[in-house]
Amino acid sequence: MASSHLPPDHGVAAGSIPVVAPRAGAPRHKVEKTTTTTGTAHAAHHTGGGGLAALAHLNSVRDMFALNAADSAGAAAVVDDGAEVEEEEREVASDTFRSTALISSREQYAAMYRRSVEDPDFFWAEIASAFYWKTKWETRDGNKIHSENIDVRKDRVGIEWFKGGRTNICYNALDRHVEAGKGGKIAFLWEGNDPGVDDKLTYKELLERVCQLANYLRDQGVKKGDAVAIYMPMLLELPIAMLACARIGAVHSVVFAGFSAEALSQRILDCKPNFVLTTSGVRRGSKVIKLKEIVDDALECVLKEGFAVGTCLTYANDSAVTREDTAWQEGRDVWWQDVVPKYPKESAVEWVDAEDTLFLLYTSGSTGKPKGVLHTTGGYMVYTATTFKYAFDYHDDDIYWCTADCGWITGHSYLTYGPLLNGATVVVFEGVPNYPDAGRCWEIVDKYKVTIFYTAPTAIRSLMRSGDEPVKRHSRKSLRVLGSVGEPINPSAWRWYYDVVGDARCPISDTWWQTETGGFMITPLPGAWPLKPGSATLPFFGVQPAIVDENGHEISGVCSGYLCIKAAWPGMMRTLQGDHARYETTYFAPFKGFYFSGDGCRRDKDGYYWLTGRVDDVINVSGHRIGTAEVESALVAHPQCAEAAVVGFDHEIKGQGIYAFVTLLEGVDYSQQLRASLINAVRTHIGAFAAPDKIHWAPGLPKTRSGKIMRRILRKIAANQLDELGDISTLADPGVVDQLIDLRDK
């Protein structure tokens, strides 16, 4: 497509997202002092009832929040009013770093932030104009480019940004850069599971590969709005598949290639794709996983439910599983390499409305059924690109590495779309961080001269256990920004990451966000303000956080409570696939007039936010959100399990682990063999990442007289906080508690 298609008012240099200057006369704030201080934190005043009535699955939100807050590594003593916070360490970016930073002071940030919340339409329209729009968006009520209702009391919840604007995220991520003369720049540097196995693609080559797959899918009848399921490991073909779907307006649904056949089948049944894309297999470390076999089993499951997938396009990953060793069904299965390379390297773009669906991504909830989070095109495109640029202080010569898998939202927003929209060079890693040894990450950093490194606290804690030597035997001099994602990072891991990995010179962007938010919500901007180990610090542009009490009343100043958001932002999800009622009930009904994040939070005297963990029945294991109901369902499906209750507990490596209380059928004896069988049942139903870390035999479960399980007590037992069980007299059988304590370590 010729660059002459770029109209003067929208065409800009590839990868250029303007730094939005404050309007004339905008108020400016003083720069924050950088000296170490001591502050005070207070727990929210809880009066019970009120805004959390909709969270019926919680036995005691008050108790659960207190546990999460008290146990959170980042929240020093926040249980009682007036509790002293430990002296807070602060780290400030160097003068050299700040001299080139996009946002170099809190004063500059404050002016931009104020404008983003006071005039969000003007703010985001100016940024959006950096992208190519085939047709510009509609405006209403003057210059408004968005409409929103997040208050269930008023009407149906609905959010729209840039409605009427026609664009394409693939075009903006690839064609725009090629047409600007940057086709020769490296887009992806691929590092295989084994050292020495690698590949790379320029923007021009990536565009050609995407076009070939797009042409094949279109030729097979895939059209705008059709769903395509993708179950693939971190080969380059995975982001290629996502971009190809986006190019033709198809809706991609990437399923993490660690989910079981049953979990995959649930997601296929929900979105009804006619196409599934997968690979023959993958090697993760020394382990070989036959992914095609898992897909075959899943497709058999959906067939029994009356739905048939027409085509399974399979990439032959011979380094893991050869064609000869891959099960095959003629008429349904097609080898990727046999068909896709035959198609032309140019493909027409399907222009879509800003509010047309871009992708579905399933995430666990408090019930057993996964939620299909739906993201649309325009707002997501603008928001992910902008958050990537500022949160990582991205410059055109950076080499960026995000260790996430595209099966999760981080791989969508910050491995694929956000970086490519900025014209970045991205490292894609097939393997695991400790294979063949604990120095692999830093070996890769040196090999590609990585400047921005983004990973999860789980990986950081795991690498910490191997000590400093695997890190220090590598240079890492290229690093300038570090990032953390997936869960709150405890200060000791933050400190090791900063001091050892970053040599005490690389700011850490400790990002808080969710699958549902699409992009960063609370995050440091490197160079803009001092960092506090364990704090996500301040909200991103346009994000208006609110900390509320149990009754939904917003709390000001220093406080602890439930983290909500007061207004819509461009990247937020629009609904849940096929279940708008659940969307409203889950996110907007608990606290009327707010988006409820499901997370606890405290705010300190400097306005910094500290995430304290989930306050609903979702466990954050290694950054993966796992619904307790899903795990319980998998356990109860075991023929010898009568009942199960699952809670989270502190885990040295994973952050949170899965602790399962299991009641067996009458006459069944406890055994290690049965324990292993129960764990395997969860692996089979959901995936290995959801396997319980602890099976606790439970002759009975603590229940109220109405039959409701008192999970507050189970959490205390799991945490070995046996002197904090509280009043158990209301239980139908208080003696159950003593039985559980006696069996705790058996």
Side-chain angles (χ1 to χ4, degrees):
M1 188 162 291
S3 59
S4 60
H5 286 214
L6 295 170
D9 58 336
H10 290 154
V12 297
S16 174
I17 299 173
V19 174
V20 183
R23 281 182 173 178
R28 305 185 69 83
H29 296 187
K30 291 182 179 180
V31 179
E32 181 184 49
K33 293 181 180 179
T34 59
T35 54
T36 302
T37 61
T38 301
T40 303
H42 303 278
H45 176 66
H46 298 303
T47 57
L52 285 176
L55 295 179
H57 57 278
L58 292 183
N59 290 292
S60 172
V61 176
R62 179 189 300 111
D63 289 337
M64 187 171 185
F65 177 71
L67 172 63
N68 282 336
D71 289 351
S72 170
V78 296
V79 179
D80 298 314
D81 287 346
E84 260 254 348
V85 175
E86 297 173 2
E87 189 173 48
E88 294 168 341
E89 302 173 82
R90 299 190 182 201
E91 294 295 347
V92 183
S94 68
D95 291 342
T96 301
F97 187 98
R98 292 201 307 275
S99 69
T100 61
L102 299 176
I103 309 293
S104 59
S105 70
R106 188 162 176 176
E107 181 183 35
Q108 182 187 359
Y109 157 80
M112 290 177 64
Y113 178 77
R114 177 173 294 241
R115 188 174 141 225
S116 75
V117 297
E118 291 180 350
D119 193 354
D121 296 278
F122 186 91
F123 181 88
W124 290 111
E126 188 170 352
I127 291 175
S129 294
F131 300 94
Y132 177 70
W133 300 81
K134 185 72 171 175
T135 303
K136 195 168 182 179
W137 51 83
E138 302 164 358
T139 56
R140 63 195 90 177
D141 300 329
N143 290 317
K144 287 192 175 297
I145 63 166
H146 92 286
S147 64
E148 67 177 84
N149 175 48
I150 63 171
D151 192 336
V152 294
R153 297 167 298 187
K154 294 180 178 178
D155 202 349
R156 174 185 170 93
V157 172
I159 299 101
E160 291 181 340
W161 285 84
F162 312 110
K163 179 72 175 174
R166 293 174 64 229
T167 188
N168 185 284
I169 197 169
C170 176
Y171 179 89
N172 278 286
L174 301 180
D175 305 62
R176 189 165 55 105
H177 306 309
V178 174
E179 292 171 6
K182 296 189 176 182
K185 182 177 181 179
I186 300 296
F188 285 138
L189 293 163
W190 181 76
E191 178 75 8
N193 180 71
D194 295 313
V197 178
D198 53 35
D199 197 3
K200 61 184 177 181
L201 287 176
T202 65
Y203 270 87
K204 181 175 183 296
E205 291 167 338
L206 176 58
L207 175 58
E208 290 173 349
R209 296 268 291 273
V210 167
C211 285
Q212 286 180 313
L213 180 57
N215 284 328
Y216 168 75
L217 292 173
R218 186 180 270 143
D219 188 47
Q220 298 303 305
V222 180
K223 58 187 184 301
K224 177 183 173 182
D226 288 348
V228 175
I230 304 171
Y231 185 78
M232 302 181 76
M234 290 306 293
L235 305 176
L236 289 178
E237 283 67 26
L238 175 47
I240 286 171
M242 295 164 61
L243 290 159
C245 289
R247 189 171 193 83
I248 64 175
V251 178
H252 61 73
S253 176
V254 182
V255 180
F256 173 58
F259 274 112
S260 68
E262 184 168 328
L264 174 59
S265 69
Q266 291 176 341
R267 288 151 176 81
I268 291 174
L269 282 170
D270 193 68
C271 68
K272 301 284 193 299
N274 192 45
F275 252 81
V276 173
L277 278 56
T278 189
T279 62
S280 56
V282 65
R283 289 184 61 217
R284 290 199 183 103
S286 57
K287 186 177 182 180
V288 174
I289 302 168
K290 295 186 174 182
L291 294 180
K292 176 61 164 54
E293 287 188 3
I294 296 172
V295 172
D296 288 344
D297 291 344
L299 297 186
E300 282 297 315
C301 289
V302 301
L303 192 59
K304 290 175 183 176
E305 296 294 327
F307 179 74
V309 170
T311 303
C312 178
L313 183 66
T314 305
Y315 185 83
N317 188 17
D318 290 332
S319 66
V321 180
T322 64
R323 291 192 183 206
E324 293 73 24
D325 292 332
T326 304
W328 207 249
Q329 182 174 312
E330 292 297 336
R332 184 197 69 187
D333 298 344
V334 179
W335 286 115
W336 182 307
Q337 289 95 326
D338 289 352
V339 293
V340 175
K342 296 177 181 178
Y343 279 80
K345 295 180 179 180
E346 294 181 357
S347 175
V349 174
E350 182 73 35
W351 302 108
V352 302
D353 189 272
E355 284 300 323
D356 282 341
T357 305
L358 175 62
F359 66 85
L360 297 172
L361 190 57
Y362 288 86
T363 185
S364 290
S366 57
T367 69
K369 182 183 177 184
K371 299 176 294 187
V373 172
L374 186 151
H375 281 286
T376 54
T377 301
Y380 175 84
M381 175 178 75
V382 172
Y383 196 71
T384 52
T386 309
T387 49
F388 172 82
K389 184 180 182 76
Y390 288 124
F392 294 121
D393 190 50
Y394 172 74
H395 295 267
D396 195 51
D397 57 350
D398 277 317
I399 306 296
Y400 168 76
W401 181 16
C402 170
T403 66
D405 190 291
C406 287
W408 308 107
I409 187 62
T410 306
H412 284 59
S413 298
Y414 300 113
L415 186 144
T416 306
Y417 291 118
L420 295 181
L421 287 164
N422 282 277
T425 295
V426 184
V427 175
V428 178
F429 181 39
E430 180 190 23
V432 293
N434 58 356
Y435 177 82
D437 59 52
R440 183 71 188 281
C441 283
W442 323 122
E443 176 188 323
I444 294 171
V445 165
D446 285 354
K447 176 178 179 178
Y448 296 114
K449 301 295 185 285
V450 171
T451 58
I452 305 170
F453 179 70
Y454 190 40
T455 195
T458 299
I460 295 166
R461 288 189 292 265
S462 177
L463 294 168
M464 277 178 64
R465 296 187 75 183
S466 299
D468 298 356
E469 190 278 330
V471 183
K472 293 189 173 181
R473 70 168 178 256
H474 300 280
S475 165
R476 296 159 287 108
K477 289 188 190 261
S478 59
L479 288 173
R480 67 177 198 89
V481 176
L482 301 174
S484 173
V485 60
E487 57 187 296
I489 183 171
N490 53 299
S492 62
W494 192 102
R495 174 55 60 195
W496 183 84
Y497 196 29
Y498 183 83
D499 288 337
V500 179
V501 175
D503 288 331
R505 58 180 175 76
C506 301
I508 296 176
S509 285
D510 178 10
T511 61
W512 175 78
W513 60 300
Q514 302 173 316
T515 302
E516 295 88 342
T517 71
F520 303 147
M521 300 293 283
I522 302 176
T523 178
L525 302 184
W529 53 73
L531 304 175
K532 297 181 183 182
S535 173
T537 69
L538 302 175
F540 192 73
F541 303 125
V543 176
Q544 300 183 54
I547 297 179
V548 304
D549 64 17
E550 283 188 348
N551 296 313
H553 299 143
E554 185 174 356
I555 317 168
S556 61
V558 176
C559 61
S560 294
Y562 305 93
L563 179 59
C564 295
I565 309 296
K566 291 196 271 190
W569 60 98
M572 72 185 299
M573 66 173 174
R574 300 304 194 250
T575 189
L576 294 176
Q577 169 71 2
D579 200 346
H580 196 76
R582 186 182 183 190
Y583 169 70
E584 293 186 342
T585 300
T586 302
Y587 301 102
F588 302 98
F591 299 110
K592 307 298 190 293
F594 297 98
Y595 165 87
F596 176 44
S597 70
D599 283 333
C601 185
R602 75 176 176 94
R603 183 171 50 227
D604 69 18
K605 72 181 189 63
D606 296 314
Y608 283 31
Y609 291 83
W610 302 72
L611 278 299
T612 56
R614 300 295 298 175
V615 295
D616 58 10
D617 287 341
V618 175
I619 304 173
N620 196 331
V621 180
S622 300
H624 303 159
R625 284 173 55 186
I626 300 168
T628 56
E630 261 190 297
V631 181
E632 289 167 0
S633 296
L635 288 167
V636 172
H638 190 284
Q640 293 174 299
C641 178
E643 192 172 19
V646 169
V647 297
F649 73 106
D650 285 346
H651 192 284
E652 181 184 0
I653 301 300
K654 299 178 182 179
Q656 276 193 298
I658 296 175
Y659 198 110
F661 293 84
V662 173
T663 302
L664 301 176
L665 294 176
E666 194 73 32
V668 176
D669 295 329
Y670 307 143
S671 71
Q672 288 301 321
Q673 183 180 1
L674 180 53
R675 180 179 271 119
S677 180
L678 287 161
I679 292 171
N680 190 57
V682 178
R683 288 173 172 265
T684 301
H685 280 74
I686 306 174
F689 63 92
D693 299 279
K694 174 80 173 177
I695 297 286
H696 186 135
W697 303 123
L701 294 172
K703 296 179 181 179
T704 63
R705 291 178 178 85
S706 64
K708 193 172 186 179
I709 298 173
M710 292 287 283
R711 294 174 191 272
R712 168 182 61 83
I713 294 172
L714 297 181
R715 292 186 189 96
K716 295 293 185 182
I717 293 173
N720 203 24
Q721 296 171 333
L722 305 181
D723 57 345
E724 301 176 20
L725 294 176
D727 182 14
I728 62 172
S729 62
T730 58
L731 294 178
D733 180 7
V736 164
V737 176
D738 289 334
Q739 289 180 310
L740 291 176
I741 292 172
D742 289 342
L743 289 167
R744 188 179 183 279
D745 297 315
K746 294 180 181 178

